[in-house]
Amino acid sequence: MGMLMSGTITTPGRAKIAARHLRTDKWWVQPLITVAVLVSFIIYSTWRAFENAHYFVEPYISPFYSPCLATSCVEGASGFGQPFGSWWVLSPSLLILVFPLGFRMTCYYYRKAYYRAFWQSPPACAVAEPHKTYTGETRQPLILQNAHRWFFYAGLIFNVILSYDAILAFKNAEGQWGHMQVGTLVLLANATFLWLYSLSCHTCRHTIGGRLKHFSKHPVRYKLWTKISELNHHHPKFAWISLIGVALADFYIRSVSTGFITDLTIF
Amino acid sequence: MTRTAKFRVWRGDANDGALKDYNIEVNEGEVVLDVIHRLQATQTPDLAVRWNCKAGKCGSCSAEINGRPRLMCMTRMNTFTDEETITVTPLRAFPVIRDLVTDVSFNYKKALEVPAFSGPANLKPGEYRMEQIDVERSQEFRKCIECFLCQDTCHVIRDHEENKEAFAGPRFFIRLAELDMHPLDTLDRKRAAQEKHGLGMCNITKCCTEVCPEHIRITDNAIIPMKERVVDVKYDPARWLGSKIRRREGL
């Protein structure tokens, strides 16, 4: 997609209107919010991924660092072992973040959001885009968006791990089971919204039953498909809530770890 | 209650044209098409406008109102303030014939490029049998009234005339989805969608869904499912291998 002036909205033969658009509503608000939220998240998550500290405090581990798979992980943070050993000297977060990042980057909803907000292709409906040519998702690198399902599968594994982390949060700071703190609720909410985001995904909907030609021959899959379809209506909402939620969960754990806030005990 | 509204209507033909200002009477309960008709009856008898049912079912009165693709007959005047100037132009993705009338034959050409339903060779017409739940899925797509607002708003062709050759557009992606989801259709719609009708050019920015007056969930229920089906046959080596071993085409 080359970048240059307006496209062909002024093609000869079409109504001769020079304006790029004639919309009178605030069509630019939504892309602006998208840019603001995504840029904020990118800045925060990049900083946290490279910070390589304050990601573990008994019994919590930050979702940005779980699973922590290198020897450099702080003591007690590697519940799933340290298969990467000591050769990995950078932040252990960088080993895993590619998977959730890839899942969101190739997500059908986020594609809409960032194609509109960042690439302005188009910035809003019936507002001419600034590109001279357009090939969509037919060539490299955008044809790789078709790999969404692989990131979806990887995302499910991460959801299981983060749910396990939420269960571990029913321990107290001394490692005794049967307790609940505010942090437990934070990790539970984080895992729940990540599951809702993954299960409402278009690829999930397709895998469960969308690909079928005969619903009548697969009654169980059809029933599941109808349920996933209902969730799918709310996919954009879950995309935003889970994105902000994962950052807030990390921020909470960082704040407890640094002593910025005290993790209140519920029981 | 009667009031006077400010209208700006595009007048012209394929060679030239401009937006012209009019003050025109509006009565309670009216839609934009009513006002355009009054304009035609009282001030501009030569104003060209295509319309038919005035009930949002024929898809004839498609235009752009304040820059948004809409049906004139389904746009109520009480959604605008008294001070607002209402701009009405023809569809901007298609060649204009005169005033608000455009040449939408691009869509008829694209329709011809999609092969019709093709049932199994061992069944004659009249012998086809389907379960209700299999019929229901495609009913949503059959609500299409062919107003071509989705085609008009789609930036792939609206902003890139050169893509019209390779790109069928959202209206025909729902047609392909309808056929591919039909239990008895035998043609390979998935590869055709990607290789002949330009499905890969769609970047799912959902403007087609936003403008559809029938509220068909074009992107979520047709385009994305078709993109996933294309991945099944073209970009997923595991699915490809599975289909070769288990021979489960046409689940």
Side-chain angles (χ1 to χ4, degrees), chain A residues 47-227:
Chain A
W47 166 60
R48 281 293 286 146
F50 282 95
E51 191 184 31
N52 199 8
H54 308 303
Y55 56 83
F56 180 74
V57 55
E58 279 288 357
Y60 315 126
I61 181 165
S62 157
F64 285 178
Y65 284 82
S66 183
C68 205
L69 302 173
T71 310
S72 60
C73 294
V74 297
E75 195 183 337
S78 300
F80 293 88
Q82 298 178 333
F84 283 88
S86 56
W87 67 269
W88 183 261
V89 290
L90 299 173
S91 165
S93 175
L94 302 176
L95 287 169
I96 54 166
L97 278 190
V98 63
F99 297 103
L101 177 72
F103 183 40
R104 287 186 194 259
M105 287 285 286
T106 58
C107 161
Y108 286 101
Y109 170 70
Y110 279 111
R111 274 146 76 179
K112 172 205 163 188
Y114 67 73
Y115 283 141
R116 280 196 189 194
F118 286 86
W119 197 246
Q120 298 192 27
S121 181
C125 304
V127 176
E129 59 174 69
H131 307 282
K132 197 179 177 191
T133 58
Y134 172 89
T135 53
E137 298 180 338
T138 57
R139 301 181 187 177
Q140 295 290 1
L142 293 182
I143 200 165
L144 293 175
Q145 304 281 29
N146 289 309
H148 183 51
R149 61 183 54 177
W150 302 104
F151 287 108
F152 164 70
Y153 300 142
L156 291 182
I157 296 169
F158 276 81
N159 286 354
V160 170
I161 292 169
L162 296 183
S163 302
Y164 175 71
D165 291 342
I167 293 168
L168 291 182
F170 282 93
K171 289 180 178 179
N172 62 10
E174 286 73 44
Q176 294 160 327
W177 282 100
H179 295 275
M180 182 188 263
Q181 300 79 227
V182 173
T184 317
L185 297 178
V186 169
L187 289 192
L188 273 178
N190 179 50
T192 305
F193 285 121
L194 286 172
W195 274 113
L196 286 171
Y197 172 55
S198 297
L199 293 177
S200 63
C201 153
H202 293 86
T203 288
C204 178
R205 187 180 181 220
H206 173 74
T207 307
I208 290 293
R211 66 159 56 100
L212 299 172
K213 230 171 158 47
H214 302 81
F215 279 157
S216 52
K217 288 185 184 170
H218 305 269
V220 176
R221 288 181 71 181
Y222 169 67
K223 191 79 186 161
L224 285 171
W225 177 82
T226 59
K227 298 291 172 202

Side-chain angles (χ1 to χ4, degrees), chain B residues 137-155:
Chain B
R137 192 178 190 183
S138 62
Q139 287 305 300
E140 178 187 11
F141 307 138
R142 299 189 74 89
K143 289 195 301 181
C144 176
I145 58 171
E146 300 215 307
C147 61
F148 303 126
L149 291 179
C150 58
Q151 303 285 85
D152 174 60
T153 199
C154 182
H155 71 113

